[in-house]
Amino acid sequence: LIHLEEDGARNRGLGYTIVRPGGLTSDRPMPLGPSYLEVNQGDDKSGRLSRADVAGICVACLERGSTFDVTFECYEANTAKPVENVGLSNILKSTDPTSYRSGR
């Protein structure tokens, strides 16, 4: 479903920037900043990222023409793992079934 939505955004003839953040955290109220983050294209790596950093990335995209008609993944560089390992590591890390908290 996500890829259908992304394809729809790309095919409307309007400009777009698709930001695919890694696993969202609420660890820090202030962003780490660009020197601690990694941006990737190709869906081969992912990691964790604070909500504050996602907000900073989205604002920065509005200010730069180089992010026009672009899709990318973003995460803290020190949390990067191959995509095929990310889901499994998250499942194994969480042993408390009540630890999940929806964003709503």
Side-chain angles (χ1 to χ4, degrees), residues 13 43 61:
D43 261 349
C61 287

Side-chain angles (χ1 to χ4, degrees), residues 42-76:
D43 261 349
D44 61 347
K45 288 198 297 186
S46 188
R48 294 188 179 355
L49 186 66
S50 75
R51 287 170 168 80
D53 279 310
V54 174
I57 288 168
C58 290
V59 170
C61 287
L62 295 171
E63 299 170 343
R64 289 174 180 76
S66 61
T67 61
F68 189 75
D69 291 345
V70 172
T71 300
F72 63 88
E73 297 80 38
C74 51
Y75 40 85
E76 292 175 14

Side-chain angles (χ1 to χ4, degrees), residues 81-97:
K81 295 180 183 177
V83 167
E84 59 272 6
N85 296 342
V86 172
L88 181 60
S89 71
N90 288 340
I91 291 168
L92 294 175
K93 181 185 279 187
S94 178
T95 57
D96 178 4

